[in-house]
Amino acid sequence: MELHPLSDPVGDPFFDVLRRRHRDVDVVLLPPVGRPDGADPVSDEVVSSALLRVEAVARGLWAMVAPDSDDRPQPRCTYGTGPESVRATARLVTRRVDGFHVLVALRAELESDGWAVTRPEGPVERLVAYLDDLTVTASYAEGSGTLLVELAAESLPVGQDRARGLTRPPARPHAGGR
């Protein structure tokens, strides 16, 4: 990190003027966002493998806590820690009258499998669990009966253009179109 005297320009016209006019304000410019930790982009096989793993774990957990449900967690890539990375996720959103009991059963299942589980404070019943590179977040809103369960893996560097393509939602068929 370079420290410049207040009189030195930083190379950006906006911040140069800001520094001259407001000498009492410390201006810190961060380097441009690049690859996380200089990591090389991973292959399509690594991304596919992460998606399959997350889907399998999520479906296994869901089958244990809601064996009577026809719902299934849906796998997809979401943006990771930056615009050049993706995260394999599996998400399920459903309405259930027994959502609180499912959340309690999920917590018990996660703890018995060795996950570190916490309950964040707040008006909505929630839990967050960690195991290795996986994170489970779940919440139940009693008023609406909505249960949300999401399992996510760590971010994978793929490059900005590829991340944009991988996170694009699948096209929906439109009804009655020409």
Side-chain angles (χ1 to χ4, degrees):
M1 179 170 102
E2 296 179 41
L3 296 177
H4 297 279
L6 287 176
S7 59
D8 287 356
V10 294
D12 183 288
F14 173 81
F15 288 108
D16 287 341
V17 170
L18 180 71
R19 286 182 71 186
R20 276 195 320 271
R21 291 185 181 172
H22 299 283
R23 295 184 182 278
D24 58 326
V25 175
D26 292 330
V27 176
V28 177
L29 298 178
L30 299 175
V33 175
R35 290 189 210 147
D37 300 327
D40 291 328
V42 298
S43 67
D44 288 337
E45 291 79 23
V46 171
V47 174
S48 294
S49 175
L51 272 170
L52 290 172
R53 176 176 171 237
V54 163
E55 180 182 18
V57 171
R59 288 194 177 188
L61 283 171
W62 186 247
M64 294 298 289
V65 299
D68 61 332
S69 176
D70 292 332
D71 296 320
R72 298 287 175 261
Q74 298 302 309
R76 68 176 294 224
C77 285
T78 59
Y79 279 107
T81 55
E84 296 184 348
S85 64
V86 295
R87 183 182 313 264
T89 64
R91 185 176 210 198
L92 179 122
V93 180
T94 186
R95 290 183 188 260
R96 296 181 64 101
V97 294
D98 65 342
F100 178 75
H101 298 290
V102 173
L103 198 63
V104 170
L106 179 61
R107 180 182 185 122
E109 182 65 30
L110 291 168
E111 287 176 338
S112 72
D113 288 345
W115 292 71
V117 182
T118 61
R119 186 206 177 277
E121 293 298 319
V124 173
E125 290 297 325
R126 299 184 312 151
L127 69 84
V128 178
Y130 304 95
L131 180 68
D132 301 326
D133 65 332
L134 299 175
T135 303
V136 171
T137 55
S139 63
Y140 175 66
E142 186 175 7
S144 65
T146 303
L147 179 69
L148 178 136
V149 179
E150 183 175 80
L151 188 132
E154 287 183 343
S155 292
L156 298 170
V158 294
Q160 193 167 9
D161 290 337
R162 218 164 122 222
R164 192 175 298 119
L166 288 168
T167 58
R168 187 171 296 126
R172 293 184 186 182
H174 46 278
R178 294 182 177 196

